[in-house]
Amino acid sequence: MVRHFLRDDDLTPAEQARVLDLAAAFKKAPLDHQILSGPKAVAVIFDKPSTRTRVSFSVGVAQLGGYPLVIDSATSQLGRGEELGDTAKVLERQVEAIVWRTFSQSRIEELAAASAVPVVNALTDDFHPCQILADLQTVREHKGALAGLTMTYLGDSANNMAHSYLLGGATAGMHVRVAGPEGYPPRADILADAVRIAEATGGSATFTTDLAEACVGADILVTDTWVSMGQEEEKAERTRVFQPYALDEVALAFAAPDAIVLHCLPAYRGYEISAAVIDGPQSVVWDEAENRLHAQKALLAFLLESS
Ligand code: CP
Ligand code: NVA
């Protein structure tokens, strides 16, 4: 059966650990696993802007011996409303996998349902699971392990990153605390899924409006933009409501003394994160950005070898 990666819990805890092991191996020996030699092609399609995802999938597919076919949907028939099922049937005849950044989760689910090759979520409005794999790789590098660590996410507690930390962190056996304002809780079904997963892995998943309670003793502090792609018109209101949840020196002081700081980037200094924190000694954001490359190569290898 073809394996897709549409949300973080599409990988079991054991599979997630395997992908992270493979990511570490790829980091040591980037050209060792030429599973796409030929070159075989991977389609990488964008309905929204991207720097990191575009570069890391392009370089990653090339390092696997393959050919990255990067498509902006606005310049393809997808942008003119071609049916997703028809798009899948065309692409699967010529590429080994389809990586897609789009808006609603239902669109990527529809594409995946019609595709005979693996479909990878490169960010939707609901999830950003490739980013979490890179983040977990980064945490493992700096902390040695994942299970039992406390990872606190501050800010837009209802966005794709919050949801993916809940699912991906719970899968890794971490204690995931999400903190944000009333009116912006994580989606109830996603939080419930994370709680259920955490019960089996020994982790936990919680939402609170209390920043101090969320940050106390945390091993990892993380945030994301307050204005996700597609929400630009809400910038003023979002800046107002999320302001108390900025990842700044005050928030960091509540965390464990050796806490590390993550941010998926792009970052907006002076908004969701202070310059002193993101550019300070506890920040590991550049390792995190690099690990997109290694983690996604590992994911592609896993999906292709398991399908
Ligand atoms: N973090 C991330 O996905 O960055 P891009 O939007 O630049 O791809
Ligand atoms: N939450 C952000 C993540 C960007 C990588 C967005 O969706 O725009």
Side-chain angles (χ1 to χ4, degrees), residues 123 128 159-160 224-225 228-229 264-265:
L123 183 147
H128 195 3
N159 80 0
N160 42 17
D224 181 26
T225 181
S228 284
M229 290 178 275
C264 67
L265 306 176

